[in-house]
Amino acid sequence: MSIPFIDLAAQQAEIADEVLPVWQRQFESAGFIGGDEVDAFEHEYAEYIGVEHVIGVSNGTDALELAFRAVGVGPGDEVIMPANTFIATAEAVSRIGAVPVFVDVDEEHLLIGPDAVEAAISERTRVIVPVHLFGQTAPVERILPIADKHGLVVVEDAAQSQGASSTAGRAGALAGVGATSFYPGKNLGAAGDAGAVMTDDASIAGYIRNLAGHGSSIKYVHDHIGMNARLDAIQAPVLRAKLKRLDGWNAARRVAADLYSALLADIEGVRTPTSRPGNTDVWHLYVVRVADRDRVMAGLSEAGIGVGIHYPTPVHLTEAYAELGYQRGRFPVAEAAADRILSLPMFPHLTQTQQERVADVLRSSVVR
Ligand SMILES: *Cc1c(COP(=O)(O)O)cnc(C)c1O
């Protein structure tokens, strides 16, 4: 029995009857940019997240870049973020000519550490980015007071946590501005690349919409040097159909996470993930930690079980960021985690039988 890391076909099968007729209409009317479906999705997602404005955009990386530009990040400014995130968080900063400043994470949840953030603040710091990694929400409630004290802006990277919440609200609605990705494999995924920026601030929302459409609000009147970063109209019906099912799918992920934690509890040498107090996590990834990870991973792969590493190299040690001069040893928690983390199959349609098999193979791979 082979088990995929993620089963997107099962999601598509669930929404096909709803999406295909809308796609047909879109093809016939050739309404591919903007339009009713995009507007409707933006309103539905805004209501779901609990913000005033959602701007659908081309992908999560562009969403982050737009958010950073809209809050005033410019060349030479510094943006603080965790060392273990997807590289896109840093890329969006670098593309503006600003500088990503990495900090270590907490040992238990591998989320950005508030003390590390405070220690990294300099004259040039403008923004702090809590990354809501693996389907958790990062400790925004502890970062906001630090940002206030130093006059900084908080931009959330909610790409891995659609629908996740802390006691303060949903990921993406916890600070002034949030950015997210609807890459197909995210909890809320499009049929291609897509993303969104979320905010309560009407002027930031208007500026982002302008920037995302070539810096223009009136055709051929260009106020700013913008981007082409709009959400494709054909993505909107997919996102609308999946949004209706998101809470159900996230609940299924929580059931699966609980079952994994029970099945793996007695395996010595396997550390299972836990939730921060007050969090309702959505388990975008279920990440265990094991010694001799590459060998354990090979055992799972040989048995036909799809696994992943998120991420094998913390961003500060990537070749892409070698020029920033970070040395190994700088962020011991993130670096040690990178050698031990292993993401197990996790998706809403995962079955108990599949999970039992993953647990059995993991057990034998660890002791072997
Ligand atoms: C996926 C992801 C992004 C980037 O989104 P894209 O849509 O792939 O550009 C940014 N940050 C994090 C944490 C992600 O997981």
Side-chain angles (χ1 to χ4, degrees):
M1 175 171 57
S2 85
I3 301 168
F5 180 62
I6 179 170
D7 183 357
L8 291 177
Q11 291 190 6
Q12 264 59 266
E14 239 185 280
I15 63 166
D17 288 348
E18 222 169 298
V19 173
L20 295 178
V22 186
W23 272 0
Q24 175 131 24
R25 283 203 298 280
Q26 289 178 317
F27 267 77
E28 284 162 6
S29 70
F32 295 130
I33 305 286
D36 294 350
E37 285 288 320
V38 170
D39 293 348
F41 171 67
E42 290 179 341
H43 284 109
E44 287 159 9
Y45 198 60
E47 187 164 328
Y48 176 77
I49 292 290
V51 295
E52 291 292 321
H53 308 277
V54 164
I55 304 100
V57 300
S58 40
N59 58 66
T61 314
D62 287 347
L64 285 161
E65 179 176 346
L66 288 160
F68 294 142
R69 286 181 65 177
V71 301
V73 174
D77 289 339
E78 293 178 355
V79 175
I80 297 175
M81 66 183 64
N84 69 325
T85 179
F86 182 52
I87 194 168
T89 322
E91 286 174 318
V93 170
S94 302
R95 286 196 327 203
I96 305 173
V99 184
V101 171
F102 301 108
V103 299
D104 214 348
V105 293
D106 82 89
E107 226 275 317
E108 180 59 30
H109 303 106
L110 305 179
L111 294 166
I112 190 167
D115 295 337
V117 167
E118 189 141 35
I121 292 171
S122 83
E123 302 269 272
R124 307 276 347 222
T125 309
R126 286 206 72 112
V127 168
I128 304 167
V129 190
V131 177
H132 301 304
L133 204 67
F134 304 156
Q136 319 170 78
T137 59
V140 177
E141 73 287 349
R142 292 186 52 205
I143 287 170
L144 283 172
I146 298 170
D148 277 351
K149 190 166 113 191
H150 297 272
L152 306 174
V153 179
V154 176
V155 173
E156 302 170 65
D157 180 341
Q160 296 192 4
S161 291
Q162 289 97 8
S165 57
S166 72
T167 48
R170 291 226 199 250
L174 300 172
V177 185
T180 197
S181 161
F182 304 125
Y183 176 81
K186 309 290 191 192
N187 286 35
L188 177 59
D193 281 310
V197 187
M198 296 79 79
T199 183
D200 283 331
D201 185 315
S203 72
I204 288 178
Y207 185 41
I208 287 173
R209 207 176 276 291
N210 175 294
L211 283 179
H214 297 293
S216 167
S217 304
I218 302 165
K219 199 164 191 182
Y220 302 133
V221 178
H222 302 282
D223 318 307
H224 307 283
I225 300 173
M227 297 162 59
N228 177 359
R230 294 170 298 228
L231 175 66
D232 283 330
I234 59 163
Q235 300 301 348
V238 178
L239 292 167
R240 294 183 73 193
K242 289 192 179 178
L243 180 57
K244 282 187 212 160
R245 292 160 175 85
L246 183 60
D247 282 343
W249 286 350
N250 282 342
R253 288 172 183 269
R254 276 194 290 279
V255 170
D258 288 346
L259 179 58
Y260 267 143
S261 296
L263 291 169
L264 306 177
D266 67 333
I267 309 182
E268 205 174 318
V270 175
R271 178 168 175 185
T272 55
T274 61
S275 290
R276 288 204 309 129
N279 264 15
T280 304
D281 294 343
V282 295
W283 303 98
H284 172 59
L285 297 167
Y286 185 88
V287 179
V288 298
R289 278 177 267 183
V290 292
D292 211 355
R293 187 266 324 279
D294 293 342
R295 188 182 53 77
V296 173
M297 185 170 169
L300 287 155
S301 298
E302 274 160 34
I305 295 171
V307 284
I309 307 173
H310 301 87
Y311 295 94
T313 309
V315 187
H316 68 287
L317 298 178
T318 60
E319 187 59 33
Y321 281 106
E323 63 178 44
L324 293 181
Y326 288 92
Q327 301 297 316
R328 186 171 288 279
R330 179 77 180 272
F331 304 125
V333 180
E335 291 170 25
D339 292 337
R340 303 177 74 93
I341 47 178
L342 182 63
S343 306
L344 302 183
M346 172 54 78
F347 48 93
H349 303 80
L350 188 65
T351 66
Q352 176 163 352
T353 316
Q354 289 175 317
Q355 290 193 264
E356 284 165 355
R357 164 114 178 110
V358 172
D360 288 346
V361 176
L362 183 57
R363 182 185 308 272
S364 54
S365 306
V366 168
V367 296
R368 188 164 45 164

